[in-house]
Amino acid sequence: MGNDNNTEPMESTITVSARGADRIQDGHFWVYRGDVADGRAEAGAVVRVNAPNGRFLARAFYSDRSQITLRILTRHDVPVDRAFWRSRLEQAVSFRERLDIDATAYRLVHGEGDLIPSLVIDRYGDYIALQALSQGTDRLLPEVTGLLVEMANPTGIIARNDPRVRLLEGLEQHVTVVHGDIPDTVAVREGTVEYDVDLRRGQKTGAFLDQRENRIAAAQYVSGRTLDCFSYAGGFALQLAPHVTELTALDISEDATALLARNAARNGLSNIQVRTTNVFDELRTLERMGETFDAIVLDPPAFAKSKSAIEKAISGYKEINLRALKLLTPGGFLITCSCSYHVNEGMFGEVILDAALDARVDVSVV
C-alpha cells in the first residue's frame, strides 16, 4: 500500500480541569496552565479541548511555553481550516466597512475582540502591519498573509513582531516584510489631518491608532493656549492645533519630535511649537516659571507593563496629573490618558482625584 502524503496530521486533544471547563463555558478566551489536566501538542497547534468527562468544549491555539496554554478559537465543533480563517477575517473587515471610518489608518483585527486571539492587523492606506503575539498566530502567519493579499491586495505587509510579550511564548522579536515592499514612511489621513508614520520603527504597529476617536473628540474642548505632553508624532497636536491659538508639543524622542514637526508643516500648522524634552522635568519647570495653559493633554506611554510596576506607575501618573492641574487656568480642560493594562479605570480615577486634592483644585468629569 502506498502512503497518502496529503493526510492531515492527527488533531491533538487537551483535557482541562473542571475549573478550566467552567471558564470556557462562561465565555473566557484563555485557559491557564494550571487548568490543563492532560495532553500535549506541538507549539502553536490548533487543538481539540475536552472537559474532564471527554465532552467537546472548544478548539484552541496551544502554547507549550506561555502560562496562557489555550486561547479559544471556537466553541463549535467545526474544522479550523483556511475557510475558517477567511471567514473570521471577512467578518472583521466587513465590520470596519460598516463603521464608515473617516481615516485611512485603523485597526482591522483586534485579537480576541474579532475572535482571532493574539492577532493584531492594522491598515495604513495601501499597507498592512500585523503582529502575531502567540505561538498559534506565529504559526498561522503565512496563511493570514496569503488571505490578506487575496482579500485586500495591499502594496506591502509588514510583521511588527517586536513586542516583548512574544518572549513569553518562546518567540523571537523581529520586524519582517512578508509581502511586497514597505517605504520608510507611509502617509495616512485621520479626519482632515494627514501625517506620516514609520511602520518599521514607529510605536505599536506604526502609530497609536486606538486614540483616533479620542483625538477627534478632544478638539471640542480645547482653545487658547494648549500643552500636549508625550506628543510622539503629533496624534493629538495635529488634531487640536486648528482649534487653538498656540500649541506646545513635548516629547523626549528626537525622532518623534522631528516627525511631528514635518507632520505639522505638511498640514500647514504654524502654531505648533515642538520641543524635545523630558516631560516630567518640563512640567516642573513650567510651574516654576508661572506658565498657564487653557488645555493640557497627557498621553504617556504605559507606565505599568507588569503587575509589579503598578505602584511606581501610580506614582508617575499622579505626578504628571498633579503638575498639569497646577498649570491649568480656571475653567481649563485636562485630557488625561493611560494605556497601562494593569491600571484599570477605577485606579486611574483615584489617581486623578488624589492629584486634584493635592493641587487644591476642583475638577469635573465631562
Side-chain angles (χ1 to χ4, degrees):
M1 291 181 63
N3 292 327
D4 184 358
N5 293 326
N6 294 321
T7 301
E8 290 292 325
M10 184 173 292
E11 182 180 54
S12 297
T13 298
I14 304 295
T15 301
V16 297
S17 66
R19 184 174 65 177
D22 288 343
R23 283 183 62 83
I24 294 173
Q25 292 171 326
D26 288 344
H28 292 279
F29 279 94
W30 297 352
V31 176
Y32 294 94
R33 186 162 302 282
D35 284 321
V36 173
D38 188 41
R40 288 189 63 81
E42 293 181 4
V46 175
V47 299
R48 176 188 176 96
V49 184
N50 282 354
N53 63 2
R55 178 171 56 88
F56 172 86
L57 290 173
R59 281 192 168 81
F61 283 140
Y62 176 83
S63 173
D64 65 358
R65 291 287 296 273
S66 173
Q67 287 300 310
I68 305 171
T69 303
L70 300 173
R71 298 175 189 263
I72 305 303
L73 301 173
T74 177
R75 293 171 181 82
H76 300 286
D77 193 359
V78 298
V80 177
D81 52 16
R82 186 177 179 83
F84 176 92
W85 294 121
R86 185 181 186 94
S87 176
R88 287 285 164 91
L89 289 173
E90 286 176 342
Q91 291 174 33
V93 171
S94 175
F95 174 60
R96 272 64 178 187
E97 290 175 345
R98 294 198 304 273
L99 293 178
D100 194 24
I101 298 171
D102 187 18
T104 61
Y106 51 88
R107 182 142 295 176
L108 278 178
V109 173
H110 197 176
E112 283 78 355
D114 287 297
L115 305 180
I116 311 179
S118 67
L119 180 66
V120 171
I121 303 177
D122 291 335
R123 177 132 213 175
Y124 292 92
D126 294 330
Y127 301 88
I128 288 176
L130 54 79
Q131 290 180 329
L133 303 177
S134 74
Q135 292 178 351
T137 47
D138 193 69
R139 182 167 169 162
L140 185 67
L141 191 58
E143 188 151 36
V144 168
T145 300
L147 287 168
L148 289 172
V149 171
E150 291 177 13
M151 295 168 57
N153 191 30
T155 302
I157 301 177
I158 187 169
R160 280 294 305 267
N161 286 333
D162 49 346
R164 287 186 56 82
V165 70
R166 281 175 56 91
L167 300 178
L168 300 177
E169 295 276 340
L171 301 172
E172 294 181 353
Q173 295 173 274
H174 62 86
V175 176
T176 308
V177 177
V178 295
H179 170 74
D181 186 40
I182 300 293
D184 291 338
T185 58
V186 174
V188 297
R189 180 184 59 80
E190 185 174 287
T192 60
V193 170
E194 292 186 356
Y195 59 95
D196 288 333
V197 295
D198 183 343
L199 299 188
R200 285 187 173 85
R201 293 167 291 274
Q203 295 287 346
K204 305 294 184 179
T205 61
F208 292 102
L209 300 182
D210 54 348
Q211 288 279 53
R212 177 170 45 82
E213 292 95 339
N214 294 333
R215 290 190 285 259
I216 294 172
Q220 304 174 56
Y221 301 101
V222 298
S223 62
R225 196 167 184 237
T226 297
L227 180 67
D228 179 25
C229 301
F230 309 98
S231 55
Y232 187 51
F236 273 102
L238 299 173
Q239 291 289 349
L240 304 187
H243 305 274
V244 304
T245 54
E246 62 177 275
L247 187 147
T248 301
L250 310 177
D251 200 279
I252 198 169
S253 166
E254 291 185 0
D255 289 341
T257 53
L259 183 56
L260 195 164
R262 294 196 299 272
N263 286 332
R266 182 190 191 99
N267 289 274
L269 299 170
S270 59
N271 62 336
I272 296 179
Q273 179 188 7
V274 182
R275 301 221 298 264
T276 305
T277 184
N278 182 301
V279 174
F280 284 85
D281 294 340
E282 188 67 14
L283 287 173
R284 297 188 194 97
T285 299
L286 291 170
E287 182 185 351
R288 286 197 300 269
M289 294 172 60
E291 299 277 6
T292 58
F293 298 88
D294 301 297
I296 298 177
V297 177
L298 298 176
D299 186 22
F303 287 170
K305 295 187 177 181
S306 65
K307 286 185 178 180
S308 62
I310 290 177
E311 184 177 349
K312 185 176 181 180
I314 293 296
S315 176
Y317 285 126
K318 181 178 177 182
E319 167 73 10
I320 60 174
N321 281 279
L322 170 62
R323 300 298 170 190
L325 287 169
K326 288 186 174 183
L327 292 171
L328 272 180
T329 57
F333 287 94
L334 173 64
I335 299 154
T336 185
C337 313
S338 165
C339 63
S340 295
Y341 170 80
H342 297 284
V343 177
N344 62 37
E345 185 176 354
M347 295 167 65
F348 193 59
E350 290 182 7
V351 168
I352 308 306
L353 174 59
D354 288 344
L357 291 173
D358 285 0
R360 297 187 177 184
V361 297
D362 296 320
V363 296
S364 299
V365 178
V366 296

